[in-house]
Structure formats: C-alpha cells, structure tokens
Amino acid sequence: MSDATPAAGDGTSTDFDAMTRDIAEVPAVEVIVTVAVNLMSAAAVKLGLTEEGDQHKDLDEARKLVHALAGLLDASTTEISSFHAAPLRDGLKSLQLAFREASVVADEPGQGPGEKYTGPVFG
C-alpha cells in the first residue's frame, strides 16, 4: 500500500462507488461462502496440496488459515444453509487431516488448527 493520496479525477472514487453498489447486491450467504472458499484455497496452498507442492508450504500460515476458516464456519452455522455448510465442513475436515498428516510434531487431539471449534478430528 502507498501513502499517496489519489489524484482528483483518477477514477478512484468512481471505482469505489461501483464496488460498493456491487457488494450491496450480493447476499450475505454468498459473501460468507466466498470468504470460506478463499480461506480453504489459501490453506491448501500453505499445506503444499497444490501442483507446486512444497514450494509454498508453510504450516504456521496454514494453521492460521484453517483456524480462521473453522471460526468463520462455526460463527455462521445459523446463517448459512446445510446446502452451503456441508461441503465447507467437509473441506475444513480434509484440511485439518492434511495438516495433521503434514505436521512433524503432532498436536494433541483437540489442539489442532480449528479443533477449538470442531472438536478433535480423526481420519
């Protein structure tokens, strides 16, 4: 990010107004699901589950992302339908299991990323 103030007439204000109008039309469930999918994707990359594998692997970062995903899903349980929630919970469990498998030092049951919200995850 830059400290520079946008010059007058550069379209920044218009772009922000358009973004605000666009986001105003999106249902909250879609925003929640989109954020969850983005967290899942980022966690998968940090777990080394992409084609590049270990190139981007960072278990400390993956832990944070999986934990945030679990918190989001826990907090939004009553807000999103089972239709949306079930595949997200399945994805979360898969990420938690992948984290457990990738870890050199295993977390105690219930202490892995997101298990504060989901309870212990077993394969």
Side-chain angles (χ1 to χ4, degrees), residues 9-27:
D10 70 355
T12 303
S13 177
T14 304
D15 293 344
F16 183 73
D17 291 342
M19 286 180 5
T20 301
R21 275 192 307 276
D22 290 345
I23 200 73
E25 296 171 10
V26 177

Side-chain angles (χ1 to χ4, degrees), residues 7-100:
D10 70 355
T12 303
S13 177
T14 304
D15 293 344
F16 183 73
D17 291 342
M19 286 180 5
T20 301
R21 275 192 307 276
D22 290 345
I23 200 73
E25 296 171 10
V26 177
V29 170
E30 286 187 40
V31 174
I32 293 167
V33 169
T34 299
V35 170
V37 169
N38 285 333
L39 286 168
M40 290 175 80
S41 298
V45 169
K46 297 297 184 179
L47 284 168
L49 301 176
T50 61
E51 288 181 14
E52 293 84 20
D54 290 343
Q55 182 180 353
H56 302 290
K57 191 172 185 178
D58 184 336
L59 294 183
D60 184 51
E61 291 291 301
R63 177 184 292 278
K64 294 171 189 173
L65 292 163
V66 171
H67 189 77
L69 174 62
L72 174 64
L73 294 181
D74 183 58
S76 62
T77 297
T78 60
E79 308 302 326
I80 60 178
S81 67
S82 293
F83 176 78
H84 291 98
L88 294 173
R89 282 193 302 266
D90 290 345
L92 170 60
K93 182 177 180 180
S94 294
L95 291 169
Q96 289 172 310
L97 291 171
F99 184 91
R100 187 170 295 282

